[in-house]
């Protein structure tokens, strides 16, 4: 995954983001490296023309795309503007398939004028046509040369609408397309302003395994902007993130942890994490998590503790110091520095704690958090 560029925001937010990016960019890159590939590979080939695509024509597009003529592409682009939904569906599906394997073909499709009509069809009420259009836009966006044209055609608000109204596949592919467009300067803030954060949070909470991964990846990219981090906290992202982090079978533990780390850059995110019992989830990760999870837990706890004495006392009460001390003896240098800094902050707070404070394990734990948020 490419390096993260922190755009905009006040100096304090930029400082937090740059510090975290320098500490965890390589690990977060490996966590999210599988989430920028196109997502049309699950398309089932029809056995009948009920979806508006003749099987022989569809197979020709799939297996002969490298030899597809400009006239073939132009014919499909023209059919996107047809008054017949069947013709539009056939054309959008054909372009979806053509754009899947070849960068050259993606450029040719865009140059043939497909972007604007496909963007318009992303908001079409027909679910199948919408899904084809969304996925075609996603596949076209895999080519760097096409992203600016897609954004200029007004794709962002239509993709955001598809997040809330489309099929599960359309929702996931819309999230991936927004992720691709978020590479463009100033687009992450614009995507947030168009209302993408709440439906992404909803997909994170209610989607299937793939949908959760797509939502987490899109959120990770968008939350590099302070406004989006605050919007995510307001949209209730912390609770589903903690649920995923607390569930070893979710398959999204690491992704959720890195998204939470970005949420914590905003004051509202830190407050929500503490209020939802996130400290206990992070302490459990320190004790039982993988090497990567322990590192992101250290970074997250440091975000929570750095400027808030009350939060430090909660972290101490949750039993963070023993696993932190143990971690300090077995970590890389960059992690040891963070651990040392965090332990110093926490030990400065221990004198203010009641003598008999104990960890409230019945309320705070990965298991308890999971049960509360279900």
């Amino acid at each position: 995954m490419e390096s993260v560029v922190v755009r905009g925001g006040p100096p304090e937010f930029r400082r937090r983001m740059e510090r975290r990016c320098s500490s965890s960019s390589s690990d977060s890159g490996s966590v999210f490296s599988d989430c920028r590939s196109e997502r049309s590979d699950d398309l089932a080939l029809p056995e009948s023309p009920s979806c508006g695509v003749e099987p022989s024509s569809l197979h020709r597009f799939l297996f002969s795309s490298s030899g597809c003529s400009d006239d073939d592409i132009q014919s499909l682009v023209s059919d996107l503007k047809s008054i017949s939904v069947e013709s539009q569906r056939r054309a959008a599906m054909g372009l979806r398939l053509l754009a899947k394997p070849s960068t050259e073909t993606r450029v040719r499709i865009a140059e043939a004028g497909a972007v604007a009509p496909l963007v318009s069809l992303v908001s079409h009420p027909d679910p199948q046509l919408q899904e084809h259009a969304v996925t075609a836009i996603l596949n076209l966006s895999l080519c760097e040369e096409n992203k600016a044209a897609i954004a200029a055609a007004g794709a962002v608000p239509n993709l955001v609408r598809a997040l809330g109204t489309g099929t599960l596949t359309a929702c996931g592919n819309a999230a991936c397309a927004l992720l691709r467009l978020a590479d463009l300067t100033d687009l992450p803030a614009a995507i947030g302003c168009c209302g993408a954060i709440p439906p992404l949070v909803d997909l994170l909470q209610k989607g299937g395994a793939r949908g959760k991964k797509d939502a987490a990846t899109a959120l990770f990219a968008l939350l590099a902007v302070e406004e989006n981090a605050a919007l995510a906290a307001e949209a209730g992202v912390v609770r589903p993130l903690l649920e995923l982090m607390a569930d070893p079978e979710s398959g999204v533990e690491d992704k959720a942890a890195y998204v939470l780390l970005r949420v914590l850059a905003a004051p509202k995110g830190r407050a929500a994490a503490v209020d939802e019992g996130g400290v206990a989830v992070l302490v459990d990760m320190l004790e039982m998590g993988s090497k990567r999870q322990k590192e992101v837990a250290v970074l997250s706890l440091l975000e929570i503790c750095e400027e808030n004495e009350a939060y430090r006392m909660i972290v101490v009460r949750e039993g963070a110091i023993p696993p932190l001390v143990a971690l300090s003896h077995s970590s890389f240098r960059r992690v040891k520095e963070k651990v040392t800094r965090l332990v110093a902050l926490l030990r400065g707070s221990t004198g203010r704690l009641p003598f008999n404070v104990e960890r409230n394990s019945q309320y705070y734990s990965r298991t308890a958090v999971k049960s509360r948020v279900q």
Side-chain angles (χ1 to χ4, degrees), residues 35-56:
C35 299
R36 288 179 176 258
S37 58
E38 59 94 1
R39 309 308 295 270
S40 64
D41 49 80
D42 57 351
L43 177 62
L45 302 186
E47 298 299 331
S48 71
S50 61
C51 68
V53 183
E54 297 180 2
S56 60

Side-chain angles (χ1 to χ4, degrees), residues 17 20 32 204 216 219-220 223 229 232-233 236-246 252-266 268-274 276-283 285 296-297 299-301 303-304 369:
M17 289 298 296
R20 290 189 293 106
F32 292 98
L204 182 73
L219 285 167
F220 181 77
L223 299 192
V237 73
V238 170
R239 179 167 289 197
L241 287 174
L242 292 176
E243 180 180 5
L244 293 169
M245 290 166 62
V252 200
E253 280 183 284
D254 291 0
K255 291 180 174 64
Y258 277 102
V259 175
L260 179 67
L261 179 58
R262 292 207 158 174
V263 176
L264 295 175
K268 290 181 180 179
R270 297 192 290 277
V274 173
E276 294 288 352
V279 171
V281 176
L282 292 168
V283 172
M285 275 194 163
V296 73
L299 294 172
S300 296
L301 289 171
E303 286 287 347
I304 290 171
V369 169

Side-chain angles (χ1 to χ4, degrees), residues 245-248 253-254 280-295 297 319 322-324 326-327 359 364-368:
M245 290 166 62
D247 182 5
E253 280 183 284
D254 291 0
V281 176
L282 292 168
V283 172
D284 280 353
M285 275 194 163
L286 282 179
E287 295 174 336
M288 300 180 292
S290 66
K291 180 178 178 181
R292 175 186 287 155
Q293 291 168 357
K294 289 178 180 181
E295 179 174 349
L324 283 170
L327 189 59
R359 182 173 180 180
Y364 294 111
S365 70
R366 297 172 87 178
T367 303

